[in-house]
Amino acid sequence: MSGGWNTIESDAGVFTYLIEKLGVKDVQFEELLTLEADELKRFGKIYGVIFLFKYPTGEARSDTPKDGSFDHGAASNIFFAAQTIQNACGTQALLSVLLNKDKEVDIGKDLKEFKEFTNEFPPEFRGETLSNSDVIREVHNSFARSSPFIDETQRTATEDDDVYHFIACVCPAPPIRVDPLTQSSYTSINNTLYELDGLQPAPISHGPCTPQAFPDAIVPVLQRRIQRYPATEIRFNLLACVQDQRIRAREIGDEDALEEQEEKRNAWLWENALRRHNFVGFVGELMKGVVKAKLTQGEGAYEKWIEDGKAKTRKRMEDKRKQGISSDGIE
């Protein structure tokens, strides 16, 4: 592998612009704040969901999943890749949705070529091919948060760490096959709700499902997974992969919704730009400039500046106490 993969955030704006940079058209991600089928349905066309959860690092692997059943034959009909790299499971999850929806979504030239190249590979080779894809890795890393202190490519998780993992849930449309003798087309598998987790040996089937029934089918699956955790565990994140909401707004002539979506896109662009910038150098230079300015004011100016700051802090704390407010801001 020619380079490492850095951690990216589970964020709708990050995922939306990441797939656009990969060449995917007319698709976006939306964060779901409630786990309800109606919440999903309001987005119109839904291609799948990506679920982020705390991964139990000390848990032993089993020959059977805790929910659903392994479908070892499915990998020959759908895109499923084993996870072979540590920090790419977010990008692998979104690819698991999009590469299984390429009949409904324009996934762009690079992803089409990637899927065609890996089409006959077993999951392990698909994972290795993904880990060595310069195009996908460079786009992925361009959305990593800039940090001068942590090298994510060198860190290995232990059982004591809080490790988070992405999985994809999707209902692939039946692939169309052509009989070489009769040239007639047919579907090779029935519609099924699949959980695609690169750390598992095979896709996990959760039973029959159609794309139209997906919102109603996926909610109980995710609810059962959440119920495995203590009631105090709230660190979950759910992103829906849906049609670009600006298209829906234009189709129904909702100018307010269209304006809202455009404002959201601009906010995502700004946030992504901030993620890629390292402000440590700027802050360091700013502090050096402030100190230099104080030192040039003459002997004792620096010490006076420090003492003035301490005095102001003490006065603010005293004023808060007089108002009946504690130092942490709670009455």
Side-chain angles (χ1 to χ4, degrees):
M1 187 166 61
S2 58
W5 293 69
N6 299 324
T7 302
I8 62 172
E9 295 178 63
S10 178
D11 178 85
V14 169
F15 278 31
T16 297
Y17 279 104
L18 189 156
I19 62 172
E20 285 197 359
K21 204 168 178 181
L22 285 171
V24 179
K25 294 180 174 60
D26 300 333
V27 177
Q28 73 180 64
F29 285 87
E30 287 285 345
E31 184 173 5
L32 298 178
L33 301 180
T34 61
L35 192 53
E36 297 177 358
D38 288 343
E39 178 75 2
L40 269 170
K41 291 174 183 177
R42 71 183 181 88
F43 294 114
K45 292 182 181 178
I46 306 157
Y47 306 120
V49 298
I50 295 175
F51 187 55
L52 174 71
F53 58 95
K54 184 178 177 181
Y55 190 78
T57 54
E59 187 175 284
R61 293 188 65 173
S62 172
D63 292 334
T64 58
K66 292 186 175 181
D67 191 24
S69 59
F70 286 128
D71 186 345
H72 291 276
S76 62
N77 292 310
I78 65 175
F79 178 84
F80 174 72
Q83 184 177 323
T84 62
I85 37 182
Q86 181 175 329
N87 295 318
C89 60
T91 293
Q92 184 160 333
L94 66 86
L95 291 179
S96 293
V97 173
L98 293 168
L99 297 187
N100 284 305
K101 288 292 186 177
D102 57 329
K103 298 295 187 293
E104 302 171 44
V105 174
D106 183 352
I107 61 174
K109 174 177 175 291
D110 290 331
L111 293 187
K112 283 179 182 176
E113 291 178 351
F114 176 81
K115 184 176 181 181
E116 289 171 0
F117 180 71
T118 62
N119 194 45
E120 301 302 324
F121 290 179
E124 294 76 14
F125 287 178
R126 286 176 184 164
E128 285 296 331
T129 306
L130 172 60
S131 70
N132 286 285
S133 170
D134 291 336
V135 170
I136 299 174
R137 184 181 63 252
E138 287 169 7
V139 172
H140 168 101
N141 284 345
S142 72
F143 287 88
R145 184 180 291 278
S146 177
S147 172
F149 304 119
I150 300 174
D151 181 2
E152 296 284 359
T153 66
Q154 300 301 317
R155 189 176 184 278
T156 301
T158 69
E159 291 186 12
D160 296 326
D161 289 330
D162 283 342
V163 178
Y164 294 89
H165 182 55
F166 294 87
I167 61 170
C169 295
V170 65
C171 178
I176 303 299
R177 307 288 188 181
V178 177
D179 188 304
L181 297 177
T182 65
Q183 293 300 303
S184 60
S185 61
Y186 64 97
T187 57
S188 60
I189 59 171
N190 294 324
N191 282 316
T192 304
L193 174 57
Y194 283 111
E195 175 185 331
L196 303 177
D197 179 352
L199 295 180
Q200 299 297 332
I204 298 174
S205 168
H206 290 284
C209 178
T210 64
Q212 294 74 26
F214 179 79
D216 293 302
I218 189 57
V219 169
V221 172
L222 296 176
Q223 287 174 335
R224 290 194 296 270
R225 176 177 283 275
I226 291 172
Q227 288 167 2
R228 299 179 202 168
Y229 292 82
T232 54
E233 179 59 68
I234 59 173
R235 290 169 294 182
F236 303 102
N237 184 254
L238 182 62
L239 295 175
C241 181
V242 301
Q243 183 187 46
D244 187 333
Q245 296 298 284
R246 296 174 297 182
I247 295 175
R248 295 192 69 228
R250 293 189 188 101
E251 287 175 348
I252 63 177
D254 191 336
E255 294 298 327
D256 291 338
L258 179 58
E259 183 178 354
E260 180 182 339
Q261 289 298 321
E262 293 291 359
E263 290 175 355
K264 180 188 291 186
R265 291 290 181 126
N266 290 332
W268 283 346
L269 278 174
W270 173 247
E271 291 165 4
N272 288 337
L274 293 180
R275 285 184 178 93
R276 289 193 292 269
H277 192 80
N278 172 19
F279 290 95
V280 173
F282 169 75
V283 173
E285 291 300 317
L286 179 63
M287 293 301 297
K288 285 194 291 186
V290 171
V291 172
K292 181 179 179 181
K294 293 297 180 183
L295 292 175
T296 56
Q297 292 177 7
E299 187 176 350
Y302 180 77
E303 289 77 10
K304 183 177 183 301
W305 174 46
I306 296 295
E307 291 303 319
D308 287 346
K310 290 180 178 179
K312 289 178 181 177
T313 299
R314 286 194 295 268
K315 185 176 185 306
R316 283 197 298 269
M317 293 176 68
E318 182 63 30
D319 290 342
K320 286 182 179 181
R321 279 194 291 271
K322 289 179 180 178
Q323 297 170 13
I325 303 175
S326 65
S327 59
D328 60 3
I330 301 175
E331 295 185 6

